[in-house]
Amino acid sequence: MEFKSILSRKGNLSYETSEPPFFKDLRLDSLLNMIRREVQGYSVRDFFYTFPGDPADISYRQEIFGEIAEREGLVSSFREFCSLMQASREYKRLSEEAQDGLRRAGYHLEAARAYYDAVTGLCDALEREELSASGFVSLREYARDCHRQMREGGFADALEKALSFYSQICFELTVDDAWITIRERDEMQEDFRDFLRELSDLLGVSDKAPVITDIYDAVNEPSDLESALIDLLKKSNPEIFREILAFYDSYPSFYPEILLTFEKEIPFYIGFYEFYKKTRKMGYDLTIPRIGDECALNGQGVYDLALAWKNGSRGEPVIANDFSYPERPAFFVVTGPNQGGKTTFARAVGQSVYLAKMGLPVNAARLETPFFSNIATHFEREESLQSNSGKLKEEIKRLVPMMNARGNGRRFIILNELFTTATTHDAFYMGKRAMDHFLQNACSGIYVTHIRELADEAARPGQVISLVAQVDEAHENRRTYRILPMKAEGEGYSDSLVEQYKLDYDSVKQRISAKKTACEGKGATL
């Protein structure tokens, strides 16, 4: 297979530049920020905004990440490749901005050296490992070809020749109050007689003369002193500068477009690998899922990845849950007490579906999933103060595009606490209509709701599965954050919350009386 891209077999993905609507609902934006910090200097945002084109591309990525996870040395090699390529492109930029022809050629030579070292290092790293992922196999062949063309096409020899002349420039500056003395080293002699140094030694004084070892360091333009040195050295060593200029004329460009694409794309894996490694160190699973049209959606030990990172610094564990869908499209309708983990469960499953579609390890001990065409979410939001419409109208306005979206079939849908400002009857009717619409379009999903009638399995057998957030049997005000399949219960457990936070009538009355007495004692009024 001809190498095109490390993210796609055919290299024909068109990347999204806008954040997907479901990103914030699933807290993927905070996860992406952590990943981006691992690969500063590269923009990987659009790669995480865009799903692979088909299941084959997902498998392509899974193979690649699997081998990266098994061979940490690969990540170090890829980081070194990117570092050298960044240096090379920076030198190339300086070359293009330079006004003087010699400076332009000097920066160009440094760019070529860093580029050649980057390709050589990449080849060596890929040859050292016994890689079987198709993406790495084709990349290895491509890197071999690039390296062979540089050698056989004369690039490597011309570079080596120019650099050998370049390395002959060796001089020393001696600075005193009135003069700057330049002494050139003769490459045929190991040293030369430095009378100033001998005099300093004889008189027992310190010689602090600075030594400049690089004419072309990474600045936009050489200093005036460097420019003066270059002018002097051009007169005494014209053949050296002729070779540098000759290389620039012979090889004005040398970056293959595919290699530049690889440099941009490989940070996608590097960043997620560092995130993956840290998450596992915290004690949480991240595993490669099984994905395909023949799979049902089933998961074990699925947890909210964003919550795990949030709680990690405080040493608080995150509860994981299991779930199992039937083979046909269906909705989990999740009911139960407030603050019982319903939304967290929905978010965790959504995150696992997203990561599976991206071809990456998922936040679960085990997961299998069919190929979903897309993800759509509708989470409860605060009413906009700038809007002239009420919260219910805003919810409907957000829901309609989800229902009318192109490619409506085979999506994963998460509906979280819809229509909370409507009457129970209206919320039930509208919620049922929305869920029926998605089921008719072969979508699966999760509906988190306080309306237990929506969880009636008998009304839509095999298409609705009732899940209930659990409480501790001995302490109703203690949530276990376990989500289990069972018939929706009528209890809202509000009494337990009222009791836990002492919001019952007697407790509130007692606090008001105590406050009133305290105020009267200070001569104030309540």
Side-chain angles (χ1 to χ4, degrees), residues 99 198 324 365 375 395 413 475 514:
Q99 300 300 313
E198 291 180 13
S324 179
I375 299 172
E395 287 184 330
I413 309 294
H475 303 279

Side-chain angles (χ1 to χ4, degrees), residues 151-288:
R151 294 195 313 273
E152 296 177 357
F155 177 89
D157 289 340
L159 176 63
E160 183 179 0
K161 183 178 181 181
L163 288 173
S164 68
F165 275 92
Y166 194 34
S167 65
Q168 294 175 24
I169 302 175
C170 190
F171 60 91
E172 188 172 280
L173 299 180
T174 302
V175 182
D176 61 21
D177 291 341
W179 299 93
I180 297 176
T181 304
I182 303 173
R183 288 185 172 87
E184 286 191 69
R185 290 184 186 272
D186 186 337
E187 64 174 344
M188 300 304 293
Q189 63 185 82
E190 294 183 359
D191 204 350
F192 59 89
R193 192 169 185 185
D194 187 340
F195 294 102
L196 180 60
R197 191 179 301 277
E198 291 180 13
L199 181 61
S200 298
D201 292 340
L202 180 64
L203 296 175
V205 297
S206 174
D207 179 11
K208 298 181 179 179
V211 176
I212 296 176
T213 59
D214 191 358
I215 296 177
Y216 298 102
D217 59 354
V219 294
N220 287 328
E221 291 292 339
S223 66
D224 291 341
L225 175 59
E226 289 174 310
S227 297
L229 289 173
I230 292 170
D231 290 339
L232 290 172
L233 292 167
K234 278 195 293 188
K235 296 175 182 178
S236 60
N237 296 280
E239 71 282 357
I240 295 176
F241 295 97
R242 279 198 296 269
E243 288 299 329
I244 296 173
L245 291 166
F247 179 84
Y248 177 81
D249 292 336
S250 299
Y251 300 95
S253 62
F254 41 75
Y255 298 124
E257 191 62 35
I258 291 178
L259 200 66
L260 291 175
T261 299
F262 170 75
E263 184 207 349
K264 293 177 184 177
E265 293 178 344
I266 195 61
F268 170 87
Y269 294 101
I270 296 173
F272 194 84
Y273 172 74
E274 299 295 348
F275 176 79
Y276 161 92
K277 189 168 60 173
K278 291 177 180 178
T279 304
R280 288 174 63 88
K281 190 174 181 180
M282 290 163 55
Y284 294 100
D285 290 317
L286 280 170
T287 54
I288 298 289

Side-chain angles (χ1 to χ4, degrees), residues 7 13-20 23 32 36 43-51 61 268 354 358:
L7 294 179
L13 276 180
S14 178
Y15 292 102
E16 299 289 341
T17 58
S18 300
E19 182 180 271
F23 239 62
L32 179 54
R36 290 170 66 186
S43 177
V44 297
R45 183 192 60 185
D46 296 354
F47 301 148
F48 284 91
Y49 287 172
T50 308
F51 287 130
R61 293 185 179 189
F268 170 87
Y354 165 79
M358 293 301 295

Side-chain angles (χ1 to χ4, degrees), residues 272-404:
F272 194 84
Y273 172 74
E274 299 295 348
F275 176 79
Y276 161 92
K277 189 168 60 173
K278 291 177 180 178
T279 304
R280 288 174 63 88
K281 190 174 181 180
M282 290 163 55
Y284 294 100
D285 290 317
L286 280 170
T287 54
I288 298 289
R290 180 169 173 256
I291 185 168
D293 288 334
E294 75 285 357
C295 296
L297 179 56
N298 299 299
Q300 293 179 358
V302 181
Y303 62 94
D304 185 338
L305 192 51
L307 185 60
W309 270 83
K310 180 180 178 180
N311 287 3
S313 59
R314 298 179 296 200
E316 298 177 6
V318 172
I319 301 300
N321 281 284
D322 304 340
F323 61 86
S324 179
Y325 279 78
E327 292 186 6
R328 60 186 295 188
F331 261 76
F332 282 144
V333 178
V334 189
T335 57
N338 292 335
Q339 301 178 6
K342 302 187 298 294
T343 299
T344 298
F345 170 78
R347 185 179 291 119
V349 178
Q351 290 168 359
S352 69
V353 172
Y354 165 79
L355 291 171
K357 276 190 63 62
M358 293 301 295
L360 294 168
V362 302
N363 48 317
R366 187 190 66 81
L367 183 82
E368 64 175 20
T369 174
F371 178 77
F372 290 109
S373 62
N374 210 331
I375 299 172
T377 61
H378 192 301
F379 278 49
E380 187 178 24
R381 293 180 185 172
E382 292 295 326
E383 185 176 346
S384 173
L385 296 178
Q386 286 74 35
S387 173
N388 293 323
S389 58
K391 186 174 181 180
L392 177 60
K393 189 172 182 180
E394 286 189 6
E395 287 184 330
I396 294 173
K397 286 172 65 177
R398 288 173 50 215
L399 185 61
V400 168
M402 285 175 58
M403 299 176 71
N404 295 335

Side-chain angles (χ1 to χ4, degrees), residues 21-238:
F22 61 82
F23 239 62
K24 281 188 171 61
D25 285 343
L26 300 181
R27 293 184 181 167
L28 295 168
D29 53 336
S30 63
L31 299 180
L32 179 54
N33 286 336
M34 288 185 278
I35 293 168
R36 290 170 66 186
R37 284 197 289 269
E38 302 291 345
V39 284
Q40 293 184 14
Y42 288 94
S43 177
V44 297
R45 183 192 60 185
D46 296 354
F47 301 148
F48 284 91
Y49 287 172
T50 308
F51 287 130
D54 54 45
D57 270 352
I58 294 175
S59 298
Y60 181 80
R61 293 185 179 189
Q62 286 181 340
E63 289 179 354
I64 290 168
F65 191 89
E67 295 204 328
I68 287 176
E70 292 175 2
R71 299 171 172 85
E72 188 168 0
L74 276 176
V75 174
S76 299
S77 298
F78 292 148
R79 281 194 178 278
E80 178 65 17
F81 169 81
C82 289
S83 178
L84 286 168
M85 288 297 293
Q86 282 180 316
S88 178
R89 288 186 291 101
E90 177 62 11
Y91 278 124
K92 185 66 174 171
R93 182 186 68 81
L94 294 173
S95 173
E96 292 168 353
E97 292 178 357
Q99 300 300 313
D100 177 78
L102 183 57
R103 295 172 190 171
R104 188 181 306 120
Y107 284 129
H108 184 79
L109 183 63
E110 291 291 353
R113 169 162 43 187
Y115 163 69
Y116 184 77
D117 289 346
V119 176
T120 301
L122 179 64
C123 283
D124 290 344
L126 296 172
E127 295 290 354
R128 282 194 304 268
E129 305 286 352
E130 294 184 6
L131 300 169
S132 59
S134 59
F136 281 147
V137 171
S138 58
L139 171 64
R140 182 167 54 200
E141 290 299 323
Y142 177 78
R144 283 174 183 165
D145 287 343
C146 284
H147 202 250
R148 182 167 54 250
Q149 288 172 16
M150 284 191 288
R151 294 195 313 273
E152 296 177 357
F155 177 89
D157 289 340
L159 176 63
E160 183 179 0
K161 183 178 181 181
L163 288 173
S164 68
F165 275 92
Y166 194 34
S167 65
Q168 294 175 24
I169 302 175
C170 190
F171 60 91
E172 188 172 280
L173 299 180
T174 302
V175 182
D176 61 21
D177 291 341
W179 299 93
I180 297 176
T181 304
I182 303 173
R183 288 185 172 87
E184 286 191 69
R185 290 184 186 272
D186 186 337
E187 64 174 344
M188 300 304 293
Q189 63 185 82
E190 294 183 359
D191 204 350
F192 59 89
R193 192 169 185 185
D194 187 340
F195 294 102
L196 180 60
R197 191 179 301 277
E198 291 180 13
L199 181 61
S200 298
D201 292 340
L202 180 64
L203 296 175
V205 297
S206 174
D207 179 11
K208 298 181 179 179
V211 176
I212 296 176
T213 59
D214 191 358
I215 296 177
Y216 298 102
D217 59 354
V219 294
N220 287 328
E221 291 292 339
S223 66
D224 291 341
L225 175 59
E226 289 174 310
S227 297
L229 289 173
I230 292 170
D231 290 339
L232 290 172
L233 292 167
K234 278 195 293 188
K235 296 175 182 178
S236 60
N237 296 280

